[in-house]
């Protein structure tokens, strides 16, 4: 109950003391100097580059998951560590094959 009271007081104080912003239509519109724009204001975005970046992040995270395998190597049984490492690499290779088979790793369309 005390936490709810403190939270409510903090929210009311933040709304009272915050800088007031006036939502004027002219201030919210984009600045134009009177000339017609030559091109679209949005930059083109490559979906293929985004997919490559996501695949890189996934494999980068999986590499960071491999580091504890090296650290716990001294404290575990060799057979169990090899089995876990094998299954982990097998999942990585299946994912890589799937991405390659779907054409996500090809730069040319």
């Amino acid at each position: 109950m005390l936490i709810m009271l403190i939270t409510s007081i903090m929210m009311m104080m933040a709304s009272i003391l915050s800088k007031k912003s006036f939502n004027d239509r002219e201030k919210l519109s984009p600045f134009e100097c009177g000339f017609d724009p030559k091109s679209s204001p949005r930059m083109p975005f490559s979906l293929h580059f985004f997919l490559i970046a996501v695949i890189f992040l996934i494999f980068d995270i999986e590499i960071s998951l491999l580091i504890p395998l090296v650290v716990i190597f001294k404290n575990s049984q060799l057979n169990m560590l090899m089995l876990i490492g094998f299954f982990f690499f097998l999942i990585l290779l299946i994912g890589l094959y799937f991405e390659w088979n779907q054409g996500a790793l090809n730069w040319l369309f």
Side-chain angles (χ1 to χ4, degrees):
M1 188 68 172
L2 182 64
I3 293 173
M4 293 291 287
L5 181 66
I6 292 173
T7 305
S8 300
I9 291 172
M10 294 291 284
M11 287 173 54
M12 285 190 288
M13 292 298 291
S15 66
I16 292 170
L17 297 176
S18 67
K19 182 179 175 182
K20 300 291 181 186
S21 63
F22 298 105
N23 292 333
D24 188 15
R25 184 173 62 101
E26 292 296 324
K27 288 185 179 180
L28 292 177
S29 65
F31 175 73
E32 293 290 334
C33 60
F35 296 108
D36 292 329
K38 290 184 178 180
S39 63
S40 174
R42 297 189 184 270
M43 295 183 64
F45 182 74
S46 173
L47 185 61
H48 189 71
F49 176 76
F50 176 74
L51 289 174
I52 294 292
V54 168
I55 291 169
F56 170 76
L57 286 176
I58 290 170
F59 281 102
D60 193 38
I61 290 171
E62 289 171 352
I63 296 252
S64 68
L65 292 174
L66 283 174
I67 293 173
L69 283 178
V70 175
V71 173
I72 64 170
F73 184 69
K74 295 178 186 176
N75 301 331
S76 67
Q77 297 174 356
L78 184 61
N79 293 337
M80 188 60 136
L81 184 67
M82 294 295 275
L83 184 67
I84 291 171
F86 173 73
F87 280 123
F88 190 77
F89 280 119
L90 184 67
I91 291 170
L92 280 177
L93 288 175
I94 289 171
L96 181 63
Y97 174 74
F98 178 75
E99 293 295 332
W100 185 22
N101 193 21
Q102 293 294 320
L105 300 178
N106 293 334
W107 283 103
L108 300 175
F109 293 109

